[in-house]
Amino acid sequence: MANMTLTKTPMPEQDPNVRNHNFKEVALGYTPEMAMEEAKRCLNCKKPKCVEGCPVNIRIPEFISKVAEGDFQAAYEIITDTNALPALSGRVCPQESQCESKCVRGVKGEPVAIGRLERFVADWYRENVNTMPEKPESNGIQVAVVGSGPAGLTCAAQLAKKGYEVSIFEALHTAGGVLVYGIPEFRLPKAIVANEVKKLEAQGVKVMTDMVIGKVLSIDELFEMGFKAIFVGSGAGLPMFMHIPGEALKGVYSANEYLTRVNLMKAYEEPSDTPIIVSKSVAIVGGGNVAMDAARCAKRLGAENVYVVYRRGEAEMPARLEEQHHAKEEGIIFMTLTNPTEILGGEDGRVNGMKCIKMELGEPDASGRRRPIPVEGSEFVLDVDTVIMSLGTSPNPLIRSTTPGLETNKKGCLVVNEEHMTTRDQVYAGGDAVTGAATVILAMGAGKEAAAAIDKALQNK
Amino acid sequence: MYKIVCKKELNPSVTYMEIEAPFVARKAKAGQFIIFRIDEKGERVPLTIAGYDREKGTVSIIFQKVGLSTEMLGQMNEGDYIQDFVGPLGKPTEVEGIKRVCVVGGGVGCAIAYPSAKAFKEAGAEVDVIVGFRNKDIVILEDEFRAASDNLYLMTDDGSYGEAGFVTVKLQQLLESGRQYDEVLAIGPIPMMKFVSKTTEPFGVKTVVSLNPIMVDGTGMCGGCRVTVGGEVKFACVDGPDFDGHQVDYAELMNRNGVYREREAETKQSHICRMDKLGKELIK
């Protein structure tokens, strides 16, 4: 008997005024009972639209019906047949614009909580089973994966499953890419990422950290070493700044730097050697998910006032609604239709304020969003001691500048065909290196499709 | 993990180490840098490469024990391992097409100036070297510099060794005496690089400086190492670390490099505790 409740079964969360002082995970996940109850809201549509909305086409109604039966093991197997990293996507996917946006239950009421169920199944498996996969029989063909973020991990997992000898080259000292340096612990515990990496290693994937491809080895040298195909998932790259006065003051960070210090280098933990400024009032400039992450980290590090300063309106904010909601609950103040014009500093060279101007929305621009226009005479100074620029990134030049024949577009992103192959034979790419800053699941989708294309190409040789 | 295969104290605060890192050694060039991390709790610290042996697969570093991580590294010994050693990062010093060069090194910056002087020499350039130290006790690499240069001018602030005076005094003399250089390369403390650039400016001599801003990843991702050069924002880790000395905003760099100074003083106590612990572990 279907559960016809109009709303999703709520997922327990840490209280906002408790969690904004710790780095533990915000959402606590469903209990088996909650999961089974929510699963019963799925109508098991004959033509499931949700599957079309999923970049990796998880057989959603099929796994949900197993959850409803309480057969979580079977549910896990269905999910992982098409999605290598469900504990991650269950947490960080924008389900509201993907699978859940297509759910028929969403027509009247809330859609089925597909993301929460995916997360539940993945967590249940990790906590109760967590058998390490076995190393499949090797086909002896070596493939290199550059970068161990969501694109690289997914590509490596798919290829390893098929018997390829996969080596991942990671520039940083820990595997996981943006999953470890960018997304904070309270949204995605690092132990979960580490567990996924461990599973890959059990399948025979070699993970080599401290390897900056483009510097220590070039793409051509990887081929000389015997790799038959290379997947480049090197991520988004260099943080952008506004080029306004004062951006070089002490106390101005890029979101990348701030998040890396907090997440990868664990600046929030007592024994970490990596320093971070302890702020009283922080302005985060930008309105994306990264801005929300930076704001919520700043709050947790003890800042009394945390402002998200965004030049467009709240409706135009690119951050997920859930992230915006969580941030507001935690006491982050949103200052929309506001744009910084100058960062002010004292004699000590530290930030002591940020000059802003109010904006209003004009006609739609090239992005389809209404263009923000400054309101004359509306300047004011925001009292802050730290400014975090979260304006997006431009692609990293290290690989393209050392790989002859590798074409990039105007923005510097790698150009690929529909098979995810770059302009160099047997060099594939996916994720932010191709799309510019996008989502984890799109990168995972690209990694998966590229793995299929690599397999096809190598099997035809 | 990366093994320390050789360690020498060059002076009471400066240490030389060779680290086994075959991949880095294969590609390293003068002017590039590495990032090391002592252990799982360690910070990522950039250090310019002081030398390399491609056959042995080792990279040498020379560092002054000034902060927590360099102090801890200095306590480690031959046979010990450090957690991470990443590189080579940054662009190498450009030596092509330079026929006459003056390499100016200050203090521990000489450690970095040396491989560049050697690279110029090996590329066939005529190399003058001016190195400056506070006093006789901290002079390093004298023999090495002599071998890598046509003329070595050794300066000490107090005149206790070589000639008395700053490196800029000697550079000024050489330029005034009509010595022609295609390039002056200055590596050392920020004020020294600034004043070397000021000295060469009226003579119109191209001047390159090697910058050492605060860094995290060293691959362009964090932007912490941004410096203003000729009014443009550059990332030292991917665009540098060598830049046009006449264009660098030194005051900004000095300010930015001091961002954690107060915090460092505050937390010194806990650092000392960690060092003691690490020291005890090493003794075991």
Side-chain angles (χ1 to χ4, degrees):
Chain A
M1 183 60 198
N3 170 357
M4 292 312 291
T5 316
L6 290 181
T7 50
K8 291 177 179 178
T9 309
M11 176 163 62
E13 285 177 351
Q14 276 197 76
D15 181 82
N17 286 318
V18 173
R19 72 180 191 236
N20 62 12
H21 297 292
N22 70 51
F23 275 84
K24 287 188 209 132
E25 199 171 8
V26 168
L28 302 171
Y30 279 157
T31 61
E33 295 72 30
M34 290 174 191
M36 287 166 73
E37 186 176 313
E38 179 62 22
K40 288 184 182 119
R41 291 185 65 229
C42 176
L43 301 179
N44 210 347
C45 304
K46 276 215 180 70
K47 281 189 189 156
K49 294 278 185 203
C50 52
V51 180
E52 291 168 24
C54 173
V56 293
N57 305 117
I58 297 174
R59 301 197 301 279
I60 293 164
E62 216 179 301
F63 99 75
I64 291 183
S65 68
K66 291 294 173 194
V67 176
E69 289 167 24
D71 189 350
F72 306 137
Q73 172 82 34
Y76 180 80
E77 279 158 18
I78 293 162
I79 295 174
T80 49
D81 192 35
T82 55
N83 177 12
L85 308 164
L88 311 183
S89 47
R91 284 175 167 79
V92 300
C93 256
Q95 289 99 4
E96 67 281 2
S97 57
Q98 297 176 347
C99 53
E100 293 182 14
S101 74
K102 311 272 181 177
C103 176
V104 68
R105 291 297 305 266
V107 177
K108 195 181 162 203
E110 287 182 347
V112 175
I114 301 168
R116 294 176 185 178
L117 290 171
E118 182 188 26
R119 171 195 160 126
F120 165 77
V121 171
D123 287 355
W124 175 88
Y125 183 85
R126 192 179 63 256
E127 284 155 18
N128 294 283
V129 187
N130 209 23
T131 347
M132 284 293 133
E134 285 183 14
K135 186 179 184 309
E137 198 181 322
S138 169
N139 64 14
I141 305 172
Q142 284 187 295
V143 179
V145 171
V146 179
S148 64
L153 289 180
T154 310
C155 185
Q158 299 292 329
L159 290 168
K161 234 198 259 182
K162 294 200 163 88
Y164 289 91
E165 300 277 339
V166 183
S167 296
I168 298 181
F169 296 88
E170 167 55 46
L172 292 172
H173 54 260
T174 308
V178 73
L179 306 170
V180 298
Y181 76 73
I183 301 176
E185 177 78 15
F186 57 82
R187 281 217 292 135
L188 178 63
K190 302 309 149 214
I192 292 176
V193 183
N195 190 60
E196 295 302 337
V197 175
K198 218 168 86 187
K199 281 202 258 179
L200 282 185
E201 287 176 323
Q203 291 174 73
V205 174
K206 270 192 229 150
V207 180
M208 301 172 63
T209 52
D210 295 346
M211 296 295 273
V212 184
I213 301 304
K215 283 289 171 191
V216 70
L217 290 168
S218 67
I219 294 290
D220 288 293
E221 284 168 314
L222 289 175
F223 281 123
E224 284 163 26
M225 286 165 74
F227 293 101
K228 298 295 175 210
I230 298 165
F231 175 78
V232 179
S234 52
L238 282 55
M240 297 203 266
F241 290 91
M242 291 186 78
H243 304 293
I244 56 173
E247 277 183 307
L249 289 164
K250 289 185 280 196
V252 183
Y253 286 108
S254 73
N256 269 8
E257 180 181 0
Y258 195 76
L259 290 171
T260 301
R261 285 181 182 272
V262 175
N263 300 320
L264 177 73
M265 306 311 295
K266 302 269 179 283
Y268 65 89
E269 284 178 357
E270 234 350 280
S272 175
D273 293 345
T274 301
I276 196 153
I277 291 175
V278 179
S279 320
K280 190 164 174 279
S281 296
V282 184
I284 289 89
V285 182
N289 288 318
V290 175
M292 299 299 130
D293 284 345
R296 296 170 72 192
C297 283
K299 191 81 190 172
R300 282 162 172 76
L301 287 169
E304 285 168 34
N305 310 303
V306 181
Y307 308 99
V308 167
V309 176
Y310 180 55
R311 63 195 181 120
R312 300 180 198 255
E314 205 166 306
E316 285 81 20
M317 259 198 184
R320 289 181 66 193
L321 277 179
E322 186 184 319
E323 302 307 325
Q324 295 183 33
H325 170 72
H326 275 148
K328 280 185 184 166
E329 274 187 346
E330 289 167 13
I332 313 291
I333 300 153
F334 282 34
M335 300 186 74
T336 52
L337 291 171
T338 304
N339 206 28
T341 54
E342 183 179 355
I343 302 166
L344 307 170
E347 273 177 18
D348 59 358
R350 289 186 186 273
V351 174
N352 65 9
M354 185 166 83
K355 203 188 265 182
C356 301
I357 189 163
K358 292 274 184 201
M359 309 291 276
E360 60 188 5
L361 293 178
E363 294 298 309
D365 62 12
S367 74
R369 295 178 296 179
R370 292 175 63 192
R371 184 195 303 276
I373 304 162
V375 179
E376 247 176 80
S378 67
E379 289 91 348
F380 67 100
V381 173
L382 187 63
D383 181 18
V384 291
D385 54 29
T386 306
V387 175
I388 301 170
M389 291 293 177
S390 181
L391 307 161
T393 56
S394 61
N396 196 305
L398 291 184
I399 291 177
R400 70 167 189 261
S401 65
T402 54
T403 312
L406 199 62
E407 273 179 36
T408 52
N409 66 15
K410 262 196 308 211
K411 287 181 175 166
C413 299
L414 296 175
V415 173
V416 296
N417 64 17
E418 61 282 3
E419 298 275 271
H420 297 272
M421 192 161 86
T422 64
T423 49
R424 278 288 303 269
D425 191 35
Q426 294 315 306
V427 179
Y428 297 77
D432 286 1
V434 170
T435 57
T439 61
V440 167
I441 189 70
L442 280 176
M444 285 167 58
K448 187 185 165 189
E449 285 168 25
I454 290 169
D455 179 47
K456 199 172 98 189
L458 293 179
Q459 292 310 321
N460 288 341
K461 279 210 164 167
Chain B
M1 300 286 270
Y2 301 81
K3 191 176 178 184
I4 300 168
V5 292
C6 176
K7 178 190 180 186
K8 280 184 245 171
E9 303 293 347
L10 298 187
N11 72 30
S13 68
V14 176
T15 307
Y16 169 93
M17 272 184 184
E18 282 172 26
I19 312 289
E20 201 171 72
F23 278 111
V24 186
R26 273 185 57 218
K27 279 289 182 73
K29 284 190 173 159
Q32 290 187 295
F33 65 95
I34 57 92
I35 283 183
F36 78 87
R37 202 169 68 112
I38 297 266
D39 59 17
E40 277 305 330
K41 301 277 181 217
E43 58 185 331
R44 295 172 64 95
V45 183
L47 277 182
T48 307
I49 292 168
Y52 46 82
D53 186 325
R54 302 208 202 280
E55 275 169 29
K56 273 165 64 190
T58 58
V59 174
S60 49
I61 49 175
I62 295 176
F63 57 93
Q64 189 162 21
K65 288 164 271 185
V66 284
L68 167 74
S69 297
T70 44
E71 285 280 3
M72 288 202 295
L73 185 61
Q75 292 203 3
M76 299 179 86
N77 291 304
E78 284 174 18
D80 292 336
Y81 287 83
I82 54 175
Q83 187 75 31
D84 296 287
F85 194 83
V86 193
L89 300 168
K91 291 181 179 165
T93 298
E94 282 177 31
V95 294
E96 290 301 310
I98 307 284
K99 299 212 165 35
R100 291 191 51 95
V101 64
C102 183
V103 176
V104 186
V108 75
C110 292
I112 312 154
Y114 166 64
S116 294
K118 198 171 145 210
F120 278 117
K121 191 87 193 125
E122 283 168 1
E126 213 180 308
V127 182
D128 283 358
V129 170
I130 309 172
V131 287
F133 302 93
R134 272 200 322 278
N135 58 52
K136 183 174 191 257
D137 299 337
I138 59 166
V139 172
I140 58 171
L141 301 174
E142 185 183 349
D143 295 340
E144 286 83 351
F145 273 117
R146 224 169 269 291
S149 64
D150 295 275
N151 300 293
L152 174 67
Y153 305 94
L154 204 153
M155 315 292 289
T156 49
D157 297 359
D158 64 356
S160 55
Y161 194 60
E163 289 178 61
F166 294 135
V167 288
T168 42
V169 172
K170 177 52 71 184
L171 182 61
Q172 178 88 24
Q173 280 174 15
L174 291 172
L175 290 168
E176 277 173 358
S177 74
R179 199 76 68 97
Q180 300 286 320
Y181 296 116
D182 300 325
E183 180 180 310
V184 170
L185 173 68
I187 307 173
I190 299 168
M192 174 233 149
M193 293 192 284
K194 177 180 156 185
F195 285 108
V196 165
S197 300
K198 279 213 164 138
T199 307
T200 58
E201 205 160 17
F203 296 90
V205 181
K206 178 186 168 193
T207 302
V208 175
V209 293
S210 174
L211 303 185
N212 59 337
I214 289 174
M215 252 177 222
V216 185
D217 64 294
T219 65
M221 190 187 80
C222 85
C225 66
R226 61 190 187 276
V227 289
T228 304
V229 182
E232 271 183 62
V233 176
K234 299 279 181 189
F235 289 4
C237 67
V238 289
D239 300 321
D242 288 0
F243 290 103
D244 180 347
H246 296 140
Q247 303 279 327
V248 170
D249 185 336
Y250 295 100
E252 179 190 294
L253 177 62
M254 286 274 268
N255 180 43
R256 286 186 61 77
N257 273 8
V259 60
Y260 299 113
R261 210 155 280 152
E262 290 142 41
R263 186 257 191 199
E264 275 164 16
E266 277 169 25
T267 52
K268 206 166 181 186
Q269 200 47 44
S270 71
H271 285 178
I272 291 166
C273 296
R274 247 198 88 206
M275 277 170 50
D276 282 351
K277 196 165 151 259
L278 186 85
K280 278 174 197 141
E281 277 168 16
L282 290 174
I283 291 160
K284 268 190 256 165

